[in-house]
Amino acid sequence: MTNTAFTPRVFSGIKPSGGLQLGNYLGAIKRFVGMQGEMETIYCVVDMHAITVWQDPAELANATREVAAGYLAAGLDPTKSILFNQSQVAAHAELGWIFNCVARVGWMNRMTQFKDKAGDNAEKHSLGLYAYPALMAADILLYHATHVPVGEDQKQHVELTRDIAKKFNHDYKVDFFPETAPVIDGPATRVMNLRDGTKKMSKSGESDMERINMTDDADKIAKKFKKAKSDAEPLPETVEGLADRPEARNLIDIYAALNDVTPADVVAEYAGAQWGKFKPALADLAVAKLAPISGEMARLMSDPAEIDRILADGSARAREIAQPILHKTYDIVGMLRS
Ligand code: TRP
C-alpha cells in the first residue's frame, strides 16, 4: 500500500509534565517549527498523555500553557499551524478506544519505554501508561498524518502506529489509515545532561545545572554552559575523535544544532581548541539563540487568556479535521450513529 492517496500532513505532540528543556527545543519544537509551510502542520500539547503518571491539577494547566508558550515563542505561527491541547478534542479518546481493541497485548508488552519506566514495578503503574502508545496512534491517525517528527525514543511507538493502521485496514478490509513515517533527524535529537554526558537531559534531574530550561534567562544559560562538564582533552580534529567522549560529543552536538550546521563543521572550526575557548563560544551562541525565546515565553505566560484563546481556536480547527475521520471510522467498525 502507498500513501499517495493521503495529503502530506505533519502531527506531533509534547507532554505537559514538568518544564520544557533544551532537549524539547532542539529535538522537537525547533524542528516542528521548521516544517511549517512545507506541509500542513498540527501540533498538540498532549495533556491526556501527561496524566498517565500523577499530575497536580493546577500544575498541569500551567504546564499546558507553558508548552503552548514554548511552541509560540520558538516561532510557531498559529495561522500556519494548528496548535491545541489534546483534551479539547474528544475524538482522541474515542479513536483511542477503538485502537485499544485493535492493538494486541503482546504488542504492548514489547514497548521498551513502558518496561524502562515501570521497571519491576509494572503492577503499580496506571493502565493508561501501559496503553498510551495506542492513544498516541489515535493522535496521529485521527488526522491521517503521514509524517511524525519525534525523537529516537518514540520510534517504536510510531512503528506501533503503523501496525495498528495495517491491522485495522486488514481486519476491516479498507484502505483507510495511512502508514505514517517517523521523521528522525538532526544532530541533537538526543540532548544529554550537562553534568553527565551518558545520561539524557531531563526535566526531573536533581540539579538544575544539568539542564537548560526553555525558561532560563541569559545569565543562567551562560553560566550553565560555562560550567558544563567537559573532559581533559582539547577538541578533536575529526568527529571520529568524539567516540568515547560523551560530554564532548554532547556539547558539540548542541552547538551544531543551535547553529544549524553539522558536528563535522563545528569540529572543523574548533579542531584542537581548548574547552576554555569553546565553552564561552557555546555559551554566547546559546544565549543569542535561546534568551529571546525565554523572554518571549515569559511575556506570553503573563497573558494566559491569550494562550487559551489560541488553544481554543486550534482545537476548533483540529476538530474539523478529526470529526469526519472519527465518524468514518465508526461507520467502518459498525458503530450505529442514529
Ligand atoms: N509519546 C510522546 C512523548 O512522550 C508524545 C506524543 C503523544 C506524541 N502523542 C504523540 C508524539 C503523537 C508524536 C505524535 O514524547
Side-chain angles (χ1 to χ4, degrees), residues 73-333:
L76 184 143
D77 176 346
T79 67
K80 288 192 187 146
S81 295
I82 294 179
L83 175 66
F84 72 108
N85 59 310
Q86 188 185 21
S87 61
Q88 293 208 64
V89 180
H92 287 254
E94 295 171 286
L95 187 62
W97 179 255
I98 305 280
F99 287 171
N100 279 347
C101 300
V102 173
R104 305 290 92 183
V105 169
W107 300 0
M108 307 317 278
N109 284 341
R110 283 196 288 278
M111 295 297 113
T112 55
Q113 194 185 52
F114 181 77
K115 287 190 223 170
D116 292 347
K117 278 197 181 174
D120 297 335
N121 224 354
E123 308 221 333
K124 295 247 160 45
H125 283 77
S126 72
L127 181 55
L129 184 68
Y130 180 68
Y132 108 82
L135 179 62
M136 176 165 162
D139 301 339
I140 295 166
L141 294 174
L142 189 53
Y143 302 92
H144 280 182
T146 51
H147 295 71
V148 177
V150 283
E152 194 64 42
D153 64 324
Q154 294 298 318
K155 199 172 158 203
Q156 197 184 28
H157 297 154
V158 181
E159 282 159 7
L160 181 91
T161 302
R162 295 166 70 94
D163 290 340
I164 289 175
K166 268 195 258 178
K167 182 163 165 59
F168 182 97
N169 288 344
H170 175 266
D171 289 356
Y172 292 103
K173 301 188 178 54
V174 290
D175 190 0
F176 186 57
F177 287 117
E179 289 181 28
T180 305
V183 182
I184 297 170
D185 56 21
T189 44
R190 252 176 100 74
V191 176
M192 310 306 280
N193 182 314
L194 297 181
R195 313 298 294 182
D196 177 353
T198 65
K199 283 201 243 154
K200 207 173 152 179
M201 185 181 286
S202 87
K203 357 189 187 198
S204 54
E206 57 211 53
S207 158
D208 197 54
M209 291 300 286
E210 65 189 46
R211 66 180 158 263
I212 303 290
N213 305 298
M214 275 186 76
T215 49
D216 285 346
D217 62 16
D219 287 349
K220 275 199 184 159
I221 296 167
K223 187 167 149 214
K224 287 176 180 180
F225 277 114
K226 284 182 188 153
K227 296 211 163 151
K229 185 173 171 208
S230 49
D231 57 22
E233 306 291 317
L235 272 72
E237 309 279 330
T238 63
V239 275
E240 287 72 37
L242 290 170
D244 303 320
R245 296 181 62 183
E247 283 81 18
R249 157 116 259 160
N250 187 39
L251 295 177
I252 286 168
D253 280 352
I254 291 172
Y255 189 105
L258 284 171
N259 217 16
D260 294 310
V261 297
T262 66
D265 295 331
V266 181
V267 168
E269 189 181 343
Y270 287 95
Q274 299 297 326
W275 289 107
K277 177 175 174 209
F278 182 75
K279 285 204 282 185
L282 173 57
D284 287 349
L285 173 67
V287 167
K289 299 281 182 179
L290 302 174
I293 296 176
S294 63
E296 177 63 6
M297 277 180 79
R299 194 193 65 77
L300 288 161
M301 287 300 281
S302 70
D303 186 3
E306 173 64 4
I307 299 177
D308 293 3
R309 197 196 55 71
I310 292 170
L311 292 174
D313 176 66
S315 302
R317 285 152 63 209
R319 261 182 243 120
E320 266 170 46
I321 303 173
Q323 215 45 253
I325 292 178
L326 179 73
H327 284 164
K328 186 79 207 299
T329 309
Y330 274 13
D331 292 344
I332 291 169
V333 170

